[in-house]
Amino acid sequence: MKNIKYYLEKAQKEKFAIAQFNFSDFTQVKGIVAGAVKANSPIILGTSEGESKFFGLEEAVALRNVLRKRTNLPIFLNLDHGHSFEYLKQAIDAGYDMVHFDGSKLLLDENIKITKEVVKYAKWKGVTVEGEVGKIGTDSSKLYLEKFEIKEEDLTKPEEALKFVKETGVDLLAVSIGNFHGIEISGIDPNLRLDILKSIKDIIGNTALVLHGGSGTPEDDIKEAIQMGIVKININTELRLAFSGNLRRHLNNNPEEITPYKFLVDARESVRKVAEYKIQIFGSANKA
Ligand code: 13P
């Protein structure tokens, strides 16, 4: 099977984005992978530090291996928003394909210093690295957020992005361009700042760009951002909402139901639908 770098380059060349779908439970993974199989798409399974501590790093790697073998699809695994070199090293040693160091809340020089350490170790192990410059707000654990205000100073500054990619040698860069984790109270997030994305792309050239906080983002913006150089988009909140909402509904409607393989079916199916839909929007269907 071709590696993740091959698919990221293909995405860059053919102008589509690979979805990263986050999970913390096996049933979610089954739904996500069923969506990818139907669409014949490469995917990245993502676990944050919290998600991976709940699921287990080695368990996630073992599951990726089994699913790759069974589906024959390029299924990759990313440690999302790692906050220390030590934890990312554990993920690399366990067999993750890719790691994301999130030093966005640090001073730029400190962010660069730790990212460089991660890159050095990861390159030696053949693992892909994502870095981050600019602050991407909130988290994916809210049903709906209050109206979310993005501060201008939190957006990625193109010249900082350039310094960061030059000095660290990361493979991918996550940017803050009006995106945030979670979904705004209206159900649709405000428009992306595509003007800032353009300035970043113009200055940094070929480094692949990542859009976090993909849930709720207006679809036209997503499509345009892909044309402008976004090659990976992370989705979590919409999957969590689909999963928990359907599970809650099923158990409320069937108070006697105690059999997991029965009460989890609707939740799994709802995750499949979200995953398959996002894959279509991101243009990665039939790119496996
Ligand atoms: P959403 O929860 O907004 O989909 O964002 C997910 C994400 O960016 C994970 O890194």
Side-chain angles (χ1 to χ4, degrees):
M1 173 169 304
K2 306 243 176 21
N3 64 16
I4 191 166
K5 286 198 169 77
Y6 168 86
Y7 281 97
L8 290 168
E9 275 165 28
K10 184 176 162 79
Q12 183 117 301
K13 245 188 272 153
E14 297 178 23
K15 293 198 188 289
F16 64 89
I18 303 174
Q20 174 187 306
F21 295 120
N22 280 50
F23 73 95
S24 50
D25 167 83
F26 181 50
T27 304
Q28 290 176 290
V29 180
K30 290 198 86 148
I32 292 165
V33 170
V37 167
K38 277 202 128 187
N40 188 31
S41 169
I43 50 162
I44 298 170
L45 297 171
T47 60
S48 64
E49 283 200 12
E51 286 164 331
S52 64
K53 281 174 187 158
F54 181 77
F55 196 86
L57 292 170
E58 288 179 12
E59 287 86 340
V61 170
L63 182 57
R64 176 208 59 197
N65 293 346
V66 169
L67 290 168
R68 262 187 198 167
K69 196 163 160 209
R70 220 175 47 71
T71 63
N72 222 2
L73 275 187
I75 299 173
F76 302 107
L77 193 55
N78 179 32
L79 196 293
D80 190 36
H81 292 287
H83 292 288
S84 67
F85 169 79
E86 290 70 28
Y87 197 68
L88 292 182
K89 181 176 179 298
Q90 281 184 46
I92 292 168
D93 291 344
Y96 273 59
D97 301 281
M98 156 172 190
V99 293
H100 164 219
F101 176 67
D102 176 2
S104 59
K105 292 188 181 66
L106 305 172
L107 291 173
L108 184 65
D109 285 339
E110 187 62 13
N111 186 3
I112 289 175
K113 188 174 144 231
I114 305 174
T115 306
K116 266 168 97 168
E117 251 184 277
V118 175
V119 169
K120 192 169 164 205
Y121 189 71
K123 287 239 157 106
W124 176 55
K125 293 276 197 164
V127 167
T128 296
V129 179
E130 176 181 330
E132 183 167 328
V133 175
K135 294 194 185 77
I136 302 169
T138 75
D139 62 57
S140 308
S141 60
K142 311 272 190 314
L143 255 185
Y144 283 101
L145 297 166
E146 301 292 307
K147 186 157 176 50
F148 188 70
E149 296 294 342
I150 295 167
K151 297 194 205 103
E152 197 72 21
E153 76 237 34
D154 287 346
L155 300 172
T156 304
K157 294 177 187 63
E159 55 299 343
E160 289 193 359
L162 177 65
K163 179 175 158 74
F164 182 86
V165 298
K166 264 189 162 170
E167 292 187 21
T168 61
V170 287
D171 304 287
L172 299 114
L173 178 71
V175 288
S176 172
I177 51 166
N179 48 321
F180 55 87
H181 300 104
I183 304 178
E184 217 196 60
I185 196 150
S186 64
I188 300 182
D189 294 349
N191 287 96
L192 294 176
R193 290 286 304 273
L194 295 171
D195 55 324
I196 296 182
L197 176 59
K198 182 170 184 323
S199 314
I200 297 168
K201 190 68 194 165
D202 283 351
I203 194 167
I204 69 165
N206 242 356
T207 304
L209 296 175
V210 179
L211 185 73
H212 280 247
S215 295
T217 308
E219 286 177 15
D220 287 349
D221 285 8
I222 290 217
K223 288 180 181 160
E224 215 169 317
I226 293 169
Q227 293 310 307
M228 293 169 69
I230 294 284
V231 300
K232 170 175 170 282
I233 302 177
N234 295 3
I235 299 287
N236 198 350
T237 307
E238 284 191 51
L239 296 172
R240 287 178 171 180
L241 283 172
F243 183 84
S244 58
N246 278 278
L247 185 55
R248 197 173 286 120
R249 203 160 26 248
H250 186 97
L251 290 174
N252 282 342
N253 292 342
N254 302 276
E256 319 270 278
E257 182 65 85
I258 61 160
T259 309
Y261 75 78
K262 294 184 178 162
F263 69 65
L264 286 167
V265 169
D266 290 350
R268 181 189 64 190
E269 177 59 9
S270 67
V271 168
R272 181 197 61 75
K273 282 189 190 149
V274 173
E276 200 182 333
Y277 184 73
K278 294 293 173 189
I279 285 169
Q280 300 296 345
I281 299 293
F282 299 171
S284 71
N286 296 316
K287 300 287 188 186

